Amino acid sequence: MSTSDLSQSKQNIVVVGNGMVGHHFVEQLSQFDGYNITVLSAESRLAYDRVHLSEYFSGKTADDLALTTPENYQQLGVNFELDAKVTQIDKAAKTVTTESGDTFSYDKLVLATGSYAFVPPIPGKDREHCLVYRTIDDLDAIQASANTGKVGVVVGGGLLGLEAANALKELGLDTHVVEFAPQLMGVQLDQAGGLLLKNKIESLGVTVHTEKATNVIVDGDDCVHKMEFADGSHLETDLILFSAGIRPYDNLAREFDLTLGERGGIVVNNQCQTSDDDIYAIGECALWNNFIYGLVAPGYSMAKVAASHIIGGEDKFTGADMSTKLKLMGVEVGSIGDAHAKTAGAQCYTYQNDRDNVYKKMVVSQDGKTLLGAVLVGDTSEYDALLQYALNGIELPENPDALILPSSGEKPTLGVDSLPDTATICSCLNVTKGDIIAAVDAGATDVGTIKSDTKATTGCGGCAALLKTVADNEFAKRGLEVKKDICSHFVYSRTELFHIVKAEKIKTFDELVSKHGKGMGCEICKPAVASILASVYNDYILEDDHLHLQDTNDTYLGNMQKDGTYSVVPRMPGGEVTPDKLIVIGEVAKEYNLYTKVTGGQRIDLFGARVEQLPAIWKRLIDAGMETGHAYGKSLRTVKSCVGSTWCRYGVQDSMSMAIFLEERYKGLRSPHKIKFAVSGCTRECAEAQSKDIGVIATENGWNLYVSGNGGMKPRHGDLFATDLDDATLIKYIDRYLMFYVRTADRLQRTSVWLENLEGGLEYMQKVVKDDHLGINDELENQMDAVVATYQCEWKTTVDSPEKLKRFRQFVNSDKQDVNIQFVDEREQIRPATLTEKAEQGLLIDTVNITEVEPA
């Protein structure tokens, strides 16, 4: 093909590269007339979402990850060529030529070539099954390699390395991370934060090796490869995934005389122009102020600046914030500003909770008034507020540490009215509070329209909560309705989604998101929809359509503990248990060496079970007539009871029989949050019924019903709902109350908070339940009857399914145990060993040099 005959009345803009940043440039410039845009992509497909690349291994397709389509580009008037790797730039003639010999003229050339994965110069790095993690084609190669192996290693413990490790774990490999530095994520986290992240990741079944330099990769004895380290140790693996950083793809600039940085990268000015004024560079190939930005947000800012300059605008790129909030294998991590306290005179406030595996650090100025940086591991709930303090120079409260410390009182809050209009809300797309206000002033009346107008949340999505808070605040100021969208993927509240699922008989998340949502879902909407589907249909939660929606506890039908083990909690209705069942529980606890404790919910918890032990433990318990206690679920937990009139001389009703009946009826009911009951046989209240979600207290004439109480950090006394009820009426009232709660509460909202926030409160609920104020009582009762009729013990269903049992292994392709789980004895039982105890007692295991020995 000869030089393209494009219209001379328009400027020809050629974009080399169609990654996320290149595509964002196209979106920016295509809004304006007067430009012929041609995209040349070296890949075989158009732009796709690399931020969520690992979801490819969770069932998402290339189409799901696509950011655009050929039809969309055609609609925008954008020309594009795939498999069009540019090999030559003629600056004098203003043309570029592809590998296939096609030539394109340009008036302005935009280099958005991105970066490539750095592979350390290790002898053996080019062996088969040594791969990188950058593109969808890379993922296809990784999947093919994983199908033939059992062990996978990621070289690199930074952001990309841990994301890659998650991908290998998803593929069922015994996964290891090898990092040259002393800690993980050394750029973003301090030493303590890195250590806690390492512990949390290892508790999830990924082995981490720090301070390991690989000398050579050779043939393995039991696996494909053997990695030999500088300290004399070694590690065998079938697949090696290099994710040790990135390098700018600057070969075109290097070959065709554009100025480069000393260590690579195409030097650009504040307008993202290179040393040739008609050539721009944006994203990870560009070097601004001797710095290469490896995140998508700064790349988007560069794309916007370059587009602005081409059309005659005055936008400038003056650097970008590199703060990060993300989830790595389910572990929340946040890093803001000067995380390492390098600023002169900087002071630190640190909070560390080893029990809950939470670490938080604030770095403040010498006078204590300015936030310079922060590190958050295990809990990033304060990230949004801290980021605004840092970015906008907002003065800290008198006691800054209160921002990260748990408090029995109210924490200092940073209201959105305190933020200046220049405050960045969405860093990926550089959307400010002022942009959101402008969208509302222009007529936006819901969060969805603001997202559409500003593109906020369409990057990583981490700003969704803050965006909604700012938008709702602006709506309220203007007297507009404040919507309660559950997340960026659905413009509906949880209540609205419940009604959609029920009315349209939708039975899967994929069907719901395709009909009424967008995108691939997130950690907010997926578990919420899973709960709704379970409440409506009561299907087995580990069915293939539902499995990917569950959190860790539901996925493995047990509460994960701090050391990566699980608790086993059989149901004991009303706290009643036979001697035979007690004996079986004791035998199981003894055989598997489990920590045993009687709980405040009147049942026995067994702690310390490894994931691979769970099926065998539960089979023993089920064979003895027991079933799951749903301690892991957002569902009914327990019905606590005194012995009542059967044994107690003060009892006036048979509280035990009522408690057992209630627990048998409502067991397995999935709800927005956990639910606890109690039944007391007299007003002495030994079962503490008034502190439960549903409390029942016997009277001479029947039962008093209390609702929406709870203990915990903010105890609430239950409200007296009705008095002197007979058995049948009591059950009807509870059916209606609970099902109305399940229908209308927000996600993760306890009945206490729900009732307090409900317009009309207790009086309104009494009208609904007692007087059928809404005319739906028959429907509520029928819904509850359907849930009761379809109950199944999830563990019985699981142990009866050989296919489902395959999930319950520490390493999917190996029978090995996780050697990082270690215990010490205390009070004649086990407990998790601390790191210090592991070291002192020789329990710190060098997993690098473990080899399997055949028995003699």
Side-chain angles (χ1 to χ4, degrees):
M1 154 177 169
S2 61
T3 301
S4 303
D5 293 325
L6 297 173
S7 170
Q8 297 303 309
S9 63
K10 294 185 176 183
Q11 282 197 60
N12 295 331
I13 311 297
V14 174
V15 184
V16 180
N18 193 227
M20 296 180 73
V21 172
H23 170 65
H24 190 66
F25 171 83
V26 170
E27 286 189 317
Q28 296 292 310
L29 190 63
S30 62
Q31 300 175 48
F32 302 95
D33 295 329
Y35 303 96
N36 285 317
I37 304 173
T38 300
V39 173
L40 303 177
S41 172
E43 291 193 58
S44 60
R45 52 176 58 87
L46 289 174
Y48 52 89
D49 185 353
R50 296 177 195 268
V51 173
H52 298 98
L53 204 58
S54 65
E55 295 185 20
Y56 191 69
F57 294 128
S58 303
K60 297 302 178 184
T61 65
D63 287 342
D64 294 327
L65 294 170
L67 295 175
T68 188
T69 63
E71 293 76 18
N72 181 47
Y73 269 6
Q74 288 164 7
Q75 186 176 0
L76 294 175
V78 175
N79 308 300
F80 63 90
E81 298 285 339
L82 301 179
D83 295 312
K85 181 178 181 180
V86 174
T87 56
Q88 183 175 349
I89 300 174
D90 187 331
K91 293 188 293 183
K94 287 194 172 183
T95 62
V96 296
T97 304
T98 66
E99 200 168 40
S100 61
D102 294 331
T103 300
F104 298 84
S105 297
Y106 69 82
D107 293 301
K108 303 292 184 183
L109 176 64
V110 179
L111 300 179
T113 48
S115 62
Y116 62 92
F118 170 67
V119 178
I122 302 168
K125 64 181 174 61
D126 296 320
R127 292 165 56 93
E128 189 178 6
H129 303 295
C130 289
L131 307 168
V132 295
Y133 179 84
R134 291 294 285 169
T135 68
I136 288 180
D137 289 340
D138 291 335
L139 300 194
D140 288 333
I142 292 167
Q143 192 152 28
S145 183
N147 289 338
T148 64
K150 294 183 178 181
V151 183
V153 169
V154 175
V155 177
L159 283 174
L160 294 177
L162 296 180
E163 186 71 21
N166 186 50
L168 294 191
K169 188 172 182 291
E170 288 286 331
L171 289 171
L173 297 181
D174 176 1
T175 303
H176 299 250
V177 173
V178 172
E179 168 58 43
F180 176 78
Q183 69 168 78
L184 298 177
M185 288 182 64
V187 174
Q188 294 84 8
L189 303 181
D190 63 359
Q191 184 176 1
L195 178 60
L196 181 61
L197 177 63
K198 173 179 182 288
N199 294 340
K200 288 182 76 74
I201 287 177
E202 288 194 324
S203 75
L204 297 173
V206 175
T207 306
V208 178
H209 314 279
T210 54
E211 297 184 279
K212 293 292 180 184
T214 307
N215 279 347
V216 66
I217 304 169
V218 297
D219 288 340
D221 298 322
D222 300 310
C223 296
V224 175
H225 309 293
K226 179 189 290 186
M227 301 174 68
E228 296 185 349
F229 300 124
D231 61 5
S233 61
H234 67 266
L235 174 63
E236 294 213 3
T237 180
D238 298 303
L239 184 159
I240 298 175
L241 197 52
F242 290 104
S243 188
I246 59 172
R247 296 294 184 268
Y249 219 118
D250 57 8
N251 56 318
L252 286 173
R254 188 179 305 277
E255 189 171 349
F256 297 102
D257 198 28
L258 295 175
T259 302
L260 297 176
E262 185 177 339
R263 300 180 62 184
I266 307 170
V267 174
V268 297
N269 61 17
N270 290 358
Q271 288 73 38
C272 295
Q273 292 171 294
T274 67
S275 54
D276 185 312
D277 287 347
D278 292 323
I279 301 179
Y280 297 77
I282 57 177
E284 293 172 339
C285 68
L287 181 75
W288 179 87
N289 198 26
N290 208 33
F291 195 88
I292 289 175
Y293 291 91
L295 298 177
V296 69
Y300 280 179
S301 295
M302 288 180 172
K304 185 177 180 180
V305 167
S308 170
H309 192 257
I310 287 172
I311 66 172
E314 297 182 357
D315 289 2
K316 293 182 179 181
F317 182 80
T318 55
D321 175 58
M322 294 294 283
S323 299
T324 305
K325 180 177 72 170
L326 67 162
K327 266 195 174 183
L328 297 167
M329 288 177 276
V331 180
E332 295 183 1
V333 178
S335 175
I336 295 172
D338 183 13
H340 295 276
K342 294 181 179 179
T343 304
Q347 298 178 336
C348 297
Y349 295 98
T350 303
Y351 168 71
Q352 185 161 345
N353 181 338
D354 289 336
R355 186 192 69 179
D356 295 330
N357 284 321
V358 171
Y359 173 79
K360 302 178 182 183
K361 182 179 83 171
M362 291 172 56
V363 182
V364 304
S365 58
Q366 191 168 13
D367 61 8
K369 294 182 178 181
T370 304
L371 182 68
L372 303 175
V375 175
L376 305 169
V377 180
D379 176 16
T380 57
S381 55
E382 294 93 359
Y383 177 88
D384 287 343
L386 293 175
L387 181 62
Q388 295 304 325
Y389 274 110
L391 292 182
N392 299 296
I394 298 172
E395 185 171 333
L396 291 167
E398 183 178 355
N399 298 306
D401 53 338
L403 293 169
I404 60 172
L405 292 176
S407 173
S408 57
E410 292 295 321
K411 277 190 176 185
T413 57
L414 180 65
V416 291
D417 282 332
S418 303
L419 301 178
D421 288 355
T422 56
T424 300
I425 305 302
C426 173
S427 58
C428 289
L429 282 300
N430 196 29
V431 179
T432 66
K433 177 184 174 183
D435 294 329
I436 295 170
I437 294 173
V440 176
D441 289 340
T445 58
D446 57 63
V447 175
T449 303
I450 290 177
K451 292 176 181 177
S452 178
D453 291 348
T454 66
K455 305 301 181 185
T457 77
T458 60
C460 71
C463 64
L466 182 57
L467 170 70
K468 188 176 186 309
T469 301
V470 173
D472 286 351
N473 185 61
E474 294 303 318
F475 294 152
K477 286 180 180 178
R478 292 160 175 77
L480 299 174
E481 176 188 3
V482 176
K483 289 195 171 183
K484 296 184 177 181
D485 299 351
I486 194 168
C487 71
S488 62
H489 302 101
F490 292 98
V491 291
Y492 301 101
S493 66
R494 181 194 174 278
T495 301
E496 290 167 334
L497 287 178
F498 185 97
H499 291 304
I500 289 171
V501 166
K502 196 167 184 300
E504 298 186 18
K505 296 181 171 56
I506 292 174
K507 294 196 172 183
T508 67
F509 178 86
D510 289 343
E511 182 184 0
L512 181 64
V513 78
S514 66
K515 289 183 175 179
H516 299 284
K518 62 182 179 180
M520 296 173 282
C522 62
E523 68 273 10
I524 295 174
C525 63
K526 285 182 177 179
V529 172
S531 174
I532 291 171
L533 293 171
S535 297
V536 175
Y537 301 111
N538 214 17
D539 290 339
Y540 176 49
I541 65 170
L542 299 188
E543 289 288 359
D544 292 344
D545 285 336
H546 306 319
L547 179 59
H548 69 290
L549 308 177
Q550 314 300 335
D551 60 20
T552 299
N553 288 349
D554 279 316
T555 298
Y556 292 102
L557 305 179
N559 275 335
M560 176 183 272
Q561 306 303 312
K562 61 182 290 185
D563 64 342
T565 61
Y566 290 83
S567 62
V568 174
V569 188
R571 188 171 295 286
M572 295 180 181
E576 185 177 83
V577 61
T578 66
D580 287 341
K581 290 179 181 178
L582 275 177
I583 289 170
V584 171
I585 290 172
E587 290 174 345
V588 167
K590 193 170 184 178
E591 178 178 347
Y592 291 93
N593 192 26
L594 305 177
Y595 174 78
T596 308
K597 185 183 185 302
V598 178
T599 74
Q602 294 184 336
R603 55 186 181 181
I604 297 174
D605 285 15
L606 308 175
F607 292 85
R610 296 173 180 268
V611 66
E612 67 270 16
Q613 296 173 333
L614 291 173
I617 290 172
W618 275 107
K619 188 174 188 313
R620 287 278 303 279
L621 297 173
I622 289 167
D623 288 346
M626 286 175 270
E627 58 188 9
T628 177
H630 285 100
Y632 48 83
K634 302 292 186 289
S635 57
L636 175 70
R637 295 290 177 85
T638 61
V639 181
K640 188 175 180 179
S641 178
C642 63
V643 294
S645 60
T646 307
W647 291 92
C648 179
R649 59 197 174 101
Y650 297 110
V652 295
Q653 300 288 349
D654 185 359
S655 55
M656 275 304 304
S657 294
M658 177 57 72
I660 291 170
F661 178 86
L662 293 175
E663 187 154 352
E664 293 289 350
R665 179 168 180 78
Y666 300 113
K667 64 185 180 184
L669 171 65
R670 294 280 171 161
S671 53
H673 212 300
K674 63 186 177 185
I675 302 173
K676 296 181 179 181
F677 283 31
V679 183
S680 287
C682 72
T683 55
R684 284 175 172 77
E685 248 281 71
C686 295
E688 302 168 328
Q690 293 173 80
S691 65
K692 300 293 187 283
D693 298 279
I694 296 293
V696 179
I697 300 177
T699 70
E700 295 286 351
N701 300 314
W703 306 96
N704 286 351
L705 174 61
Y706 289 81
V707 296
S708 296
N710 69 254
M713 291 181 66
K714 292 185 178 180
R716 183 181 190 277
H717 196 285
D719 292 321
L720 179 60
F721 190 84
T723 60
D724 295 332
L725 302 176
D726 58 48
D727 291 4
T729 305
L730 174 68
I731 302 306
K732 284 182 181 294
Y733 282 8
I734 296 175
D735 279 359
R736 297 168 186 173
Y737 193 87
L738 285 181
M739 194 49 67
F740 195 77
Y741 161 66
V742 168
R743 285 185 171 201
T744 61
D746 288 336
R747 59 179 287 273
L748 302 180
Q749 189 175 47
R750 291 293 299 270
T751 61
S752 56
V753 180
W754 166 73
L755 184 63
E756 288 176 346
N757 292 342
L758 191 67
E759 188 173 351
L762 178 67
E763 184 178 351
Y764 173 74
M765 279 308 304
Q766 288 171 327
K767 290 180 180 179
V768 171
V769 171
K770 292 181 179 182
D771 305 331
D772 202 9
H773 178 65
L774 300 178
I776 61 171
N777 281 352
D778 287 344
E779 186 180 344
L780 296 175
E781 291 172 21
N782 291 337
Q783 180 75 45
M784 186 63 77
D785 286 340
V787 170
V788 173
T790 53
Y791 169 77
Q792 59 184 307
C793 171
E794 292 158 351
W795 261 115
K796 186 177 189 311
T797 304
T798 301
V799 298
D800 289 343
S801 170
E803 187 63 29
K804 295 303 179 187
L805 290 178
K806 292 178 181 179
R807 292 193 59 79
F808 293 89
R809 302 171 70 175
Q810 187 68 52
F811 307 112
V812 175
N813 293 329
S814 171
D815 291 327
K816 291 180 180 178
Q817 291 186 341
D818 184 353
V819 294
N820 294 295
I821 296 174
Q822 300 290 336
F823 303 106
V824 295
D825 291 332
E826 184 174 86
R827 298 187 300 274
E828 301 182 46
Q829 293 207 80
I830 62 164
R831 66 163 172 79
T834 65
L835 289 175
T836 302
E837 289 168 335
K838 289 179 182 180
E840 289 176 350
Q841 300 185 31
L843 295 176
L844 278 177
I845 295 179
D846 183 1
T847 54
V848 177
N849 286 319
I850 291 177
T851 57
E852 293 186 334
V853 180
E854 294 294 330

